[in-house]
Amino acid sequence: MKYDKLSKDTESIREVFNISVPALGHIPTQGQPCLLCGRRDFLLLNTFVLNDQRFHTVRCIHDGMMWLEPQPTEQFYQTLYTTYYHSTGPDDPLLEQATLNVHANVEERRHIVQLRVAQIEQFSQTGRLLEVGFGNGFLLEAAAARGWQVVGLELDQDCVKRMTDQDIPAYCCNLLEYPGEAEPFDVIAMYSVIEHVLDPAAYLNKTFSLLKTGGILVLRLPDTEAEGPPASLIAHVYHFNAHTIMVLLRRCGFEVLQIDNFSLWKPQRYPGALWNMNVISRKS
Ligand SMILES: [Zn+2]
């Protein structure tokens, strides 16, 4: 299917799903301008209905930035990540896309974090590492075991407790709320985070302020094709590709060192697939 004009004809747009999740209730939303150019000139790519509310994935006609339109509010996501996200199962149709790593088997998750730590060590000497949105905490455990001084941030109190029970420093807050001193970290890692937040530029600016000069930022996020993601779910607010994340990183002062496609996700319920990319940047 081609999306070569600004379509108002929603009948031609693929509907990914139409489901109800009573626990979420009514979802307060607001329309958003493009993250990169600030305009609202977009194509409709696909759509889904959640609790009788319609959402679209859209793409800016000027620069290719893609996002969820309209977007739920901060309060909605606060509730989602503190009470729902880490305790739901892989069969949840709402979060199938997001639960891949959270609910993969333990052996596989332990293997993935070893690969991630090895990649980090290609770009940085062992030092101080902050992981934002650490989830199961396996990366913090693996990095600490290799001599890194680690700190973790997570919104789910149970995830935080699991770390502090092991004397791994962890805080129940988002990155923007983190009160740490300026420039203490050699590495900041955010796996499957930046596509979830309402203000990715604020997150990148904050990581810039928390990194030492020359420090490394590691992002993992979907590399979304121009026709949009195969399953556009409520948890993904922005849909980047290699071009759009590079534009944003450079705008926030980072030098992009490497982008690689790290893993392929094939949803069970929807056609198509989605590459995930690891993006390594340096505070110049
Ligand atoms: Zn734009």
Side-chain angles (χ1 to χ4, degrees):
M1 190 184 295
K2 288 251 188 326
Y3 302 98
D4 53 3
K5 62 181 172 52
L6 185 60
S7 173
K8 302 289 186 191
D9 175 15
T10 56
E11 284 182 11
S12 65
I13 305 299
R14 181 171 72 94
E15 184 171 293
V16 180
F17 62 74
N18 183 341
I19 59 172
S20 280
V21 181
L24 296 176
H26 177 76
I27 302 166
T29 62
Q30 53 200 14
Q32 287 298 329
C34 174
L35 180 65
L36 296 184
C37 73
R39 289 178 275 193
R40 278 181 62 78
D41 303 330
F42 51 71
L43 300 168
L44 304 177
L45 300 181
N46 63 35
T47 184
F48 64 89
V49 177
L50 173 60
N51 292 359
D52 292 327
Q53 294 176 249
R54 184 167 292 281
F55 297 85
H56 286 95
T57 304
V58 302
R59 187 179 75 230
C60 176
I61 63 172
H62 304 290
D63 49 41
M65 187 68 224
M66 290 174 273
W67 67 96
L68 175 65
E69 171 70 25
Q71 292 179 359
T73 59
E74 183 76 42
Q75 183 60 45
F76 169 80
Y77 286 112
Q78 181 74 15
T79 305
L80 187 76
Y81 294 120
T82 53
T83 66
Y84 190 84
Y85 188 78
H86 291 281
S87 52
T88 188
D91 296 332
D92 186 331
L94 178 62
L95 293 177
E96 184 193 23
Q97 181 166 356
T99 52
L100 180 69
N101 288 322
V102 181
H103 296 285
N105 70 58
V106 169
E107 206 170 290
E108 189 180 329
R109 283 181 283 166
R110 296 276 186 201
H111 176 65
I112 289 169
V113 300
Q114 293 299 335
L115 296 177
R116 289 178 177 177
V117 174
Q119 187 183 40
I120 288 169
E121 291 179 349
Q122 289 173 15
F123 291 92
S124 176
Q125 304 233 318
T126 308
R128 300 195 64 203
L129 182 150
L130 173 68
E131 186 183 11
V132 180
F134 60 79
N136 56 48
F138 289 177
L139 183 117
L140 293 177
E141 293 172 18
R146 289 181 60 82
W148 287 83
Q149 289 179 267
V150 301
V151 178
L153 308 183
E154 181 52 68
L155 294 176
D156 187 311
Q157 187 67 57
D158 291 339
C159 296
V160 171
K161 185 171 184 305
R162 197 168 160 273
M163 292 297 102
T164 54
D165 283 350
Q166 303 176 72
D167 294 325
I168 292 175
Y171 302 94
C172 194
C173 67
N174 70 41
L175 175 65
L176 303 182
E177 295 163 341
Y178 176 62
E181 300 162 28
E183 304 195 341
F185 292 105
D186 300 281
V187 173
I188 296 178
M190 294 196 277
Y191 298 96
S192 307
V193 170
I194 200 75
E195 70 275 23
H196 292 251
V197 302
L198 285 166
D199 194 345
Y203 265 62
L204 296 183
N205 289 333
K206 178 81 176 195
T207 59
F208 191 89
S209 73
L210 289 173
L211 278 171
K212 295 175 184 173
T213 300
I216 295 296
L217 169 63
V218 182
L219 299 176
R220 174 192 187 269
L221 68 162
D223 182 6
T224 309
E225 295 184 1
E227 62 266 31
S232 181
L233 307 181
I234 201 79
H236 285 196
V237 181
Y238 287 99
H239 303 283
F240 293 96
N241 57 33
H243 169 72
T244 53
I245 194 64
M246 249 194 304
V247 169
L248 191 63
L249 281 162
R250 287 173 177 158
R251 198 177 281 180
C252 295
F254 288 95
E255 176 191 2
V256 180
L257 302 177
Q258 179 177 304
I259 297 181
D260 57 28
N261 285 329
F262 211 72
S263 62
L264 183 67
W265 172 68
K266 285 179 184 286
Q268 295 165 30
R269 291 182 179 77
Y270 316 109
L274 191 63
W275 281 100
N276 282 292
M277 54 185 168
N278 278 13
V279 181
I280 313 289
S281 313
R282 179 165 55 206
K283 175 175 175 174
S284 333

PDB file of all heavy atoms in Angstrom, residues 34-39 60-65 67, ligand 1:
ATOM      1  N   CYS A  34       4.708  17.294  15.378  1.00  0.00           N
ATOM      2  CA  CYS A  34       5.884  16.462  15.081  1.00  0.00           C
ATOM      3  C   CYS A  34       7.025  16.801  16.040  1.00  0.00           C
ATOM      4  O   CYS A  34       7.323  17.965  16.292  1.00  0.00           O
ATOM      5  CB  CYS A  34       6.320  16.702  13.640  1.00  0.00           C
ATOM      6  SG  CYS A  34       7.862  15.873  13.211  1.00  0.00           S
ATOM      7  N   LEU A  35       7.667  15.762  16.548  1.00  0.00           N
ATOM      8  CA  LEU A  35       8.787  15.919  17.478  1.00  0.00           C
ATOM      9  C   LEU A  35       9.963  16.668  16.831  1.00  0.00           C
ATOM     10  O   LEU A  35      10.690  17.392  17.503  1.00  0.00           O
ATOM     11  CB  LEU A  35       9.251  14.513  17.912  1.00  0.00           C
ATOM     12  CG  LEU A  35      10.411  14.369  18.871  1.00  0.00           C
ATOM     13  CD1 LEU A  35      10.059  14.948  20.239  1.00  0.00           C
ATOM     14  CD2 LEU A  35      10.780  12.890  19.012  1.00  0.00           C
ATOM     15  N   LEU A  36      10.139  16.502  15.518  1.00  0.00           N
ATOM     16  CA  LEU A  36      11.317  17.085  14.861  1.00  0.00           C
ATOM     17  C   LEU A  36      11.043  18.468  14.279  1.00  0.00           C
ATOM     18  O   LEU A  36      11.889  19.347  14.349  1.00  0.00           O
ATOM     19  CB  LEU A  36      11.833  16.151  13.757  1.00  0.00           C
ATOM     20  CG  LEU A  36      12.347  14.792  14.238  1.00  0.00           C
ATOM     21  CD1 LEU A  36      12.929  14.008  13.067  1.00  0.00           C
ATOM     22  CD2 LEU A  36      13.389  14.941  15.346  1.00  0.00           C
ATOM     23  N   CYS A  37       9.875  18.685  13.665  1.00  0.00           N
ATOM     24  CA  CYS A  37       9.657  19.966  12.975  1.00  0.00           C
ATOM     25  C   CYS A  37       8.530  20.793  13.606  1.00  0.00           C
ATOM     26  O   CYS A  37       8.317  21.942  13.213  1.00  0.00           O
ATOM     27  CB  CYS A  37       9.382  19.744  11.487  1.00  0.00           C
ATOM     28  SG  CYS A  37       7.760  19.050  11.133  1.00  0.00           S
ATOM     29  N   GLY A  38       7.809  20.239  14.548  1.00  0.00           N
ATOM     30  CA  GLY A  38       6.782  21.001  15.255  1.00  0.00           C
ATOM     31  C   GLY A  38       5.496  21.198  14.479  1.00  0.00           C
ATOM     32  O   GLY A  38       4.589  21.887  14.952  1.00  0.00           O
ATOM     33  N   ARG A  39       5.403  20.602  13.272  1.00  0.00           N
ATOM     34  CA  ARG A  39       4.184  20.790  12.474  1.00  0.00           C
ATOM     35  C   ARG A  39       3.240  19.604  12.647  1.00  0.00           C
ATOM     36  O   ARG A  39       3.609  18.573  13.201  1.00  0.00           O
ATOM     37  CB  ARG A  39       4.556  20.985  10.999  1.00  0.00           C
ATOM     38  CG  ARG A  39       5.211  22.340  10.774  1.00  0.00           C
ATOM     39  CD  ARG A  39       5.629  22.551   9.335  1.00  0.00           C
ATOM     40  NE  ARG A  39       6.950  21.980   9.078  1.00  0.00           N
ATOM     41  CZ  ARG A  39       7.675  22.235   7.990  1.00  0.00           C
ATOM     42  NH1 ARG A  39       7.208  23.026   7.034  1.00  0.00           N
ATOM     43  NH2 ARG A  39       8.862  21.685   7.834  1.00  0.00           N
ATOM     44  N   CYS A  60       5.088  12.210   9.700  1.00  0.00           N
ATOM     45  CA  CYS A  60       5.262  13.585   9.223  1.00  0.00           C
ATOM     46  C   CYS A  60       5.671  13.582   7.756  1.00  0.00           C
ATOM     47  O   CYS A  60       6.583  12.855   7.358  1.00  0.00           O
ATOM     48  CB  CYS A  60       6.329  14.289  10.073  1.00  0.00           C
ATOM     49  SG  CYS A  60       6.699  15.962   9.509  1.00  0.00           S
ATOM     50  N   ILE A  61       5.004  14.409   6.927  1.00  0.00           N
ATOM     51  CA  ILE A  61       5.327  14.435   5.495  1.00  0.00           C
ATOM     52  C   ILE A  61       6.621  15.201   5.237  1.00  0.00           C
ATOM     53  O   ILE A  61       7.175  15.118   4.145  1.00  0.00           O
ATOM     54  CB  ILE A  61       4.175  15.051   4.657  1.00  0.00           C
ATOM     55  CG1 ILE A  61       3.947  16.522   5.033  1.00  0.00           C
ATOM     56  CG2 ILE A  61       2.892  14.250   4.834  1.00  0.00           C
ATOM     57  CD1 ILE A  61       2.960  17.225   4.096  1.00  0.00           C
ATOM     58  N   HIS A  62       7.140  15.931   6.220  1.00  0.00           N
ATOM     59  CA  HIS A  62       8.354  16.729   6.020  1.00  0.00           C
ATOM     60  C   HIS A  62       9.626  15.953   6.346  1.00  0.00           C
ATOM     61  O   HIS A  62      10.632  16.087   5.660  1.00  0.00           O
ATOM     62  CB  HIS A  62       8.301  18.005   6.869  1.00  0.00           C
ATOM     63  CG  HIS A  62       7.096  18.843   6.605  1.00  0.00           C
ATOM     64  ND1 HIS A  62       6.931  19.530   5.418  1.00  0.00           N
ATOM     65  CD2 HIS A  62       5.981  19.066   7.352  1.00  0.00           C
ATOM     66  CE1 HIS A  62       5.759  20.172   5.449  1.00  0.00           C
ATOM     67  NE2 HIS A  62       5.170  19.903   6.597  1.00  0.00           N
ATOM     68  N   ASP A  63       9.601  15.170   7.415  1.00  0.00           N
ATOM     69  CA  ASP A  63      10.853  14.547   7.867  1.00  0.00           C
ATOM     70  C   ASP A  63      10.743  13.067   8.218  1.00  0.00           C
ATOM     71  O   ASP A  63      11.708  12.448   8.627  1.00  0.00           O
ATOM     72  CB  ASP A  63      11.407  15.315   9.088  1.00  0.00           C
ATOM     73  CG  ASP A  63      10.331  15.541  10.145  1.00  0.00           C
ATOM     74  OD1 ASP A  63       9.544  14.609  10.390  1.00  0.00           O
ATOM     75  OD2 ASP A  63      10.264  16.653  10.709  1.00  0.00           O
ATOM     76  N   GLY A  64       9.543  12.476   8.067  1.00  0.00           N
ATOM     77  CA  GLY A  64       9.416  11.026   8.285  1.00  0.00           C
ATOM     78  C   GLY A  64       9.244  10.602   9.732  1.00  0.00           C
ATOM     79  O   GLY A  64       9.145   9.405  10.022  1.00  0.00           O
ATOM     80  N   MET A  65       9.224  11.554  10.671  1.00  0.00           N
ATOM     81  CA  MET A  65       9.008  11.184  12.079  1.00  0.00           C
ATOM     82  C   MET A  65       7.631  10.550  12.228  1.00  0.00           C
ATOM     83  O   MET A  65       6.656  11.046  11.665  1.00  0.00           O
ATOM     84  CB  MET A  65       9.125  12.447  12.938  1.00  0.00           C
ATOM     85  CG  MET A  65       9.082  12.184  14.443  1.00  0.00           C
ATOM     86  SD  MET A  65      10.533  11.289  15.043  1.00  0.00           S
ATOM     87  CE  MET A  65       9.745  10.086  16.120  1.00  0.00           C
ATOM     88  N   TRP A  67       4.620   8.858  14.947  1.00  0.00           N
ATOM     89  CA  TRP A  67       4.191   8.861  16.350  1.00  0.00           C
ATOM     90  C   TRP A  67       2.755   8.390  16.492  1.00  0.00           C
ATOM     91  O   TRP A  67       2.033   8.207  15.509  1.00  0.00           O
ATOM     92  CB  TRP A  67       4.378  10.242  16.983  1.00  0.00           C
ATOM     93  CG  TRP A  67       3.508  11.370  16.481  1.00  0.00           C
ATOM     94  CD1 TRP A  67       2.335  11.793  17.040  1.00  0.00           C
ATOM     95  CD2 TRP A  67       3.739  12.231  15.360  1.00  0.00           C
ATOM     96  NE1 TRP A  67       1.840  12.870  16.334  1.00  0.00           N
ATOM     97  CE2 TRP A  67       2.684  13.158  15.298  1.00  0.00           C
ATOM     98  CE3 TRP A  67       4.753  12.309  14.388  1.00  0.00           C
ATOM     99  CZ2 TRP A  67       2.584  14.146  14.313  1.00  0.00           C
ATOM    100  CZ3 TRP A  67       4.670  13.287  13.396  1.00  0.00           C
ATOM    101  CH2 TRP A  67       3.594  14.189  13.373  1.00  0.00           C
TER     102      TRP A  67
HETATM  103 ZN    ZN B   1       8.105  16.755  11.101  1.00  0.00          ZN
END
